[in-house]
Amino acid sequence: MTREIIEAVRTIEREKGIEEDTLIHALEDALLAAYKKTPGASRHATVELDPDSGDFRVYSIEIPEDLEVKLMDEARERAIDELEAQEAETGERSHHLITDDELDLDWSQVPSDLIKRDDVTPDDFGRIAAQTAKQVILQRIREAEREMMYEEYKDRQGEVVTGIVQQAGDRNNVLVDLGKVEALLPRSEQVDGERYEQGSRIKAVITEVRSGTKGPQVILSRRDPELIRTLFELEVPEIADGLVEIRAVAREPGYRSKIAVESHAQGVDPVGACVGPRGSRVRMVVSELRGEKIDIIPWNTEPARFVAKALSPARVREVYIDDERRDATVVVPDDQLALAIGKEGLNARLAYKLTGWKIDIKSDTEFAQEEAEAAFAGGDDEEFTGRCAAVLANGKRCPNAALPGSRFCGVAAHRELAEREARGEDISSSVVQLTPAEPEAEEGVAEAAKGEAPADGTPVEAQAVAEEAEQGA
């Protein structure tokens, strides 16, 4: 019978890929446990396989009592340390009772001349070995298969797999058959509004693989942005071949997604490749995502252009970039403001996720009003690029454009302020009076009233300067 056990072990090694030593050691441990349950069993014993006869033999081990007590104490301390370490790791208190029979003595500390071994194999040990071997081999096969399955799926995290819905009655947990293992699609990873009919085929992303007593537990997700990336790789040959690359993905599961694509081959349109003939490619992806809308954006290394495209389908007029704070102020036509922001801010939120830039969207009217307030508000602390820094008698800033390399325009009184500032004088409290006593100022105002620029080439906003002159007078 024992020869048959050995042959069975070798057959399992060939068919299942389980090492022979693993099964032999498991059999020895199981037979030792079975021997210790027999009446009159020795306290310390070991089971060994005779490679010639194929028989399992049991040997009792006896050592001096004082040495035995020492080894027992050391083994008990090791067992307690392991339990404490396990409690610290899990955060749960263990109530396991450690018995002397469970202690593993360190026999390497015992000199061989102090060990006394006797063959104490029971007469019916062959029958016991056969029964035990069957149970142990089946258990080890299941454990080895579970371990192999775990190792296979452990390295597949982030991969998109196709499965068949097995159980969808409970909305909190949907079971998906992946062929070799059943995966779990938890409620937190499901898309709002999606229904999973039993027997239907779905694609999902493996987000986590856990090792459990009943085999590996695979956790799936339908909300992961990687799902969109992989679906486009399956539908677009240019992406699979590396001619087109998906640089960024932003997704609001069940509502809308944006992807940024870049071409690495001259003459290949990345957006057109993803859309496909008559939209066939993107339509297949939308169908798999149960109607989720997808915006395909061309990738651009210039932040302003990329941000403008990311707000598609809204039309953008201007984009102002702050590189230090990574802020972008976007100006859109008045009729495009709601479209640029999107329902409940969805479009703007997706554009932020896609680009990484904080986006402030303003309409033409709103932006023009803020610009006017900044230009005419006056005060020492405010500056506006390209505007004259002089403050008029009515408390407003001069509306003229500053001369190149200067903070002031070409009006004489304002040029004087520039000269005083160059000499290091304090001009913070200086107020410019435009009166008839200043011929050059009058000349500038008169020419401005006609819509012409002064002789020195100073750019003047005619109506504004005329009004300021009248008020100042």
Side-chain angles (χ1 to χ4, degrees):
M1 179 63 71
T2 52
R3 292 299 305 174
E4 294 176 1
I5 292 175
I6 298 300
E7 291 298 328
V9 166
R10 291 172 180 170
T11 302
I12 291 172
E13 179 185 17
R14 290 192 301 268
E15 294 180 354
K16 299 292 185 179
I18 304 174
E19 294 182 1
E20 179 181 349
D21 291 343
T22 302
L23 288 174
I24 294 297
H25 289 317
L27 282 172
E28 290 176 348
D29 293 341
L31 290 172
L32 179 60
Y35 164 75
K36 288 189 175 181
K37 293 179 182 179
T38 60
S42 300
R43 184 172 188 178
H44 304 298
T46 182
V47 176
E48 296 178 1
L49 170 65
D50 187 344
D52 297 327
S53 63
D55 291 336
F56 289 95
R57 311 300 297 176
V58 183
Y59 296 96
S60 65
I61 300 177
E62 295 182 6
I63 58 176
E65 184 177 355
D66 56 341
L67 184 56
E68 180 183 6
V69 172
K70 177 185 176 184
L71 293 178
M72 295 284 285
D73 291 340
E74 292 178 353
R76 188 176 292 105
E77 289 180 5
R78 287 196 301 272
I80 294 175
D81 291 341
E82 291 177 1
L83 284 177
E84 291 178 348
Q86 185 178 0
E87 290 176 0
E89 182 179 353
T90 60
E92 299 180 359
R93 187 170 182 80
S94 175
H95 300 282
H96 180 72
L97 179 62
I98 302 175
T99 62
D100 290 347
D101 292 336
E102 295 177 343
L103 298 177
D104 294 327
L105 303 187
D106 186 5
W107 298 106
S108 62
Q109 299 185 25
V110 183
S112 58
D113 57 337
L114 297 180
I115 299 178
K116 182 180 180 182
R117 291 164 57 95
D118 292 321
D119 190 345
V120 292
T121 306
D123 296 336
D124 61 345
F125 201 63
R127 179 182 58 82
I128 296 175
Q131 294 176 347
T132 305
K134 179 181 178 181
Q135 299 173 358
V136 170
I137 288 175
L138 291 176
Q139 180 182 356
R140 290 292 174 167
I141 289 175
R142 288 192 295 266
E143 291 178 356
E145 288 179 342
R146 286 197 294 263
E147 183 65 23
M148 291 166 60
M149 198 71 64
Y150 172 74
E151 292 296 329
E152 177 184 349
Y153 280 93
K154 180 183 66 174
D155 298 330
R156 297 178 65 181
Q157 292 191 29
E159 181 180 332
V160 174
V161 293
T162 303
I164 300 175
V165 177
Q166 292 296 311
Q167 178 182 340
D170 184 3
R171 280 286 293 164
N172 292 329
N173 294 298
V174 176
L175 294 180
V176 181
D177 183 12
L178 299 182
K180 295 182 179 180
V181 68
E182 273 194 347
L184 182 67
L185 181 62
R187 182 72 184 91
S188 59
E189 297 298 337
Q190 299 174 24
V191 176
D192 297 336
E194 284 190 355
R195 295 181 60 84
Y196 308 102
E197 302 293 340
Q198 186 169 351
S200 62
R201 190 178 299 271
I202 64 170
K203 288 184 172 63
V205 180
I206 298 178
T207 57
E208 185 180 0
V209 180
R210 304 169 184 167
S211 179
T213 55
K214 296 183 179 181
Q217 188 176 25
V218 181
I219 308 300
L220 302 179
S221 172
R222 288 274 296 176
R223 301 177 64 90
D224 198 303
E226 190 64 26
L227 179 61
I228 292 183
R229 190 187 298 271
T230 303
L231 290 176
F232 271 102
E233 289 178 358
L234 295 175
E235 294 295 335
V236 183
E238 289 83 353
I239 295 179
D241 295 339
L243 302 178
V244 175
E245 179 186 359
I246 299 177
R247 295 295 301 268
V249 178
R251 187 183 182 199
E252 286 283 340
Y255 299 97
R256 198 180 199 97
S257 297
K258 292 179 183 287
I259 65 171
V261 294
E262 181 184 20
S263 174
H264 294 303
Q266 188 175 3
V268 177
D269 177 18
V271 176
C274 294
V275 172
R278 298 183 181 180
S280 58
R281 294 173 178 175
V282 71
R283 191 160 53 243
M284 292 296 293
V285 177
V286 170
S287 175
E288 177 62 36
L289 296 177
R290 314 290 175 91
E292 183 175 313
K293 296 179 181 179
I294 300 177
D295 295 333
I296 304 174
I297 310 299
W299 173 268
N300 201 309
T301 55
E302 297 182 19
R305 294 182 182 275
F306 188 34
V307 168
K309 290 292 185 181
L311 288 171
S312 175
R315 290 183 290 105
V316 174
R317 181 159 295 175
E318 293 176 307
V319 179
Y320 297 92
I321 295 294
D322 186 343
D323 292 320
E324 293 184 359
R325 297 188 300 175
R326 292 187 66 82
D327 288 348
T329 301
V330 179
V331 182
V332 299
D334 292 356
D335 60 344
Q336 297 287 304
L337 181 61
L339 185 61
I341 295 174
K343 185 178 180 180
E344 298 180 355
L346 176 61
N347 196 52
R349 189 162 58 250
L350 285 174
Y352 163 70
K353 292 180 180 179
L354 189 71
T355 62
W357 286 75
K358 184 178 179 181
I359 302 174
D360 183 14
I361 304 175
K362 298 180 180 180
S363 64
D364 275 339
T365 303
E366 183 182 3
F367 183 75
Q369 183 179 357
E370 292 182 1
E371 183 180 272
E373 290 176 356
F376 294 101
D380 303 327
D381 298 331
E382 298 186 26
E383 290 187 6
F384 193 79
T385 303
R387 297 280 184 172
C388 178
V391 180
L392 304 179
N394 56 8
K396 297 181 180 179
R397 285 182 60 170
C398 174
N400 293 346
L403 294 176
S406 174
R407 295 175 58 239
F408 300 93
C409 66
V411 176
H414 300 178
R415 289 203 305 268
E416 182 182 348
L417 288 177
E419 294 173 357
R420 291 173 56 189
E421 185 181 51
R423 293 195 297 267
E425 298 181 15
D426 182 14
I427 61 171
S428 58
S429 60
S430 301
V431 176
V432 178
Q433 296 285 350
L434 289 180
T435 66
E438 295 177 331
E440 293 185 36
E442 285 184 352
E443 180 181 355
V445 172
E447 290 174 351
K450 298 176 185 178
E452 303 174 358
D456 58 6
T458 305
V460 178
E461 295 183 11
Q463 185 62 33
V465 175
E467 291 176 358
E468 295 298 338
E470 292 175 0
Q471 295 175 3

